[in-house]
Amino acid sequence: MRDIAFIFFFAAVVCVTSGMVWGIQMAVSEDHLLAPAHAHLNLVGWTTLALFGLYYRLTPTAARGILPRVHAGLAILGVALMVPGIAMVMAGGSPAPASAGAILTLASMLLFLVTVARHGFGAEA
């Protein structure tokens, strides 16, 4: 089984690759209606997930136990709900998926705050 840093980083790379393809599609079609969803995919999906992965690689004590897996579940599910949810709102649909994704994303960041407070940053000397 892959470690938590890999899970976060793999999800981040999936997000940025999808974001690039989506950005190219918007540029070619000259239809930028869904740019806010695209931006969230790149910022929350790529940047945040990649930073989480790097943190867990650099702070191995924080990567142990169940909490990092819960963190990954909240963060990845948050992006998976928020991005299409924003697209749905932009198209006139319900904000419920975007709101649920935002709440999960916030929960993942609060869990990360607790993790950083508990473990600091970097490997122990």
Side-chain angles (χ1 to χ4, degrees), residues 53-97:
L54 289 173
Y55 173 81
Y56 285 114
R57 174 65 67 216
L58 294 172
T59 313
T61 57
R64 297 185 192 124
I66 191 71
L67 283 182
R69 303 230 177 257
V70 171
H71 181 207
L74 290 170
I76 294 167
L77 184 58
V79 173
L81 285 173
M82 183 174 24
V83 172
I86 292 170
M88 288 169 57
V89 168
M90 300 305 297
S94 169

Side-chain angles (χ1 to χ4, degrees), residues 5-92:
F6 174 84
I7 291 167
F8 272 115
F9 222 78
F10 184 79
V13 172
V14 168
C15 288
V16 75
T17 304
S18 302
M20 291 175 141
V21 170
W22 195 2
I24 292 167
Q25 180 273 325
M26 284 192 294
V28 169
S29 70
E30 297 182 6
D31 180 0
H32 297 90
L33 175 69
L34 300 180
H38 163 77
H40 279 77
L41 178 60
N42 286 319
L43 181 61
V44 180
W46 162 237
T47 307
T48 305
L49 295 179
L51 288 172
F52 291 157
L54 289 173
Y55 173 81
Y56 285 114
R57 174 65 67 216
L58 294 172
T59 313
T61 57
R64 297 185 192 124
I66 191 71
L67 283 182
R69 303 230 177 257
V70 171
H71 181 207
L74 290 170
I76 294 167
L77 184 58
V79 173
L81 285 173
M82 183 174 24
V83 172
I86 292 170
M88 288 169 57
V89 168
M90 300 305 297

Side-chain angles (χ1 to χ4, degrees), residues 101-119:
I103 290 167
L104 290 173
T105 300
L106 175 61
S108 83
M109 191 57 75
L110 292 172
L111 183 54
F112 187 60
L113 174 65
V114 169
T115 300
V116 171
R118 285 180 61 199
H119 297 282

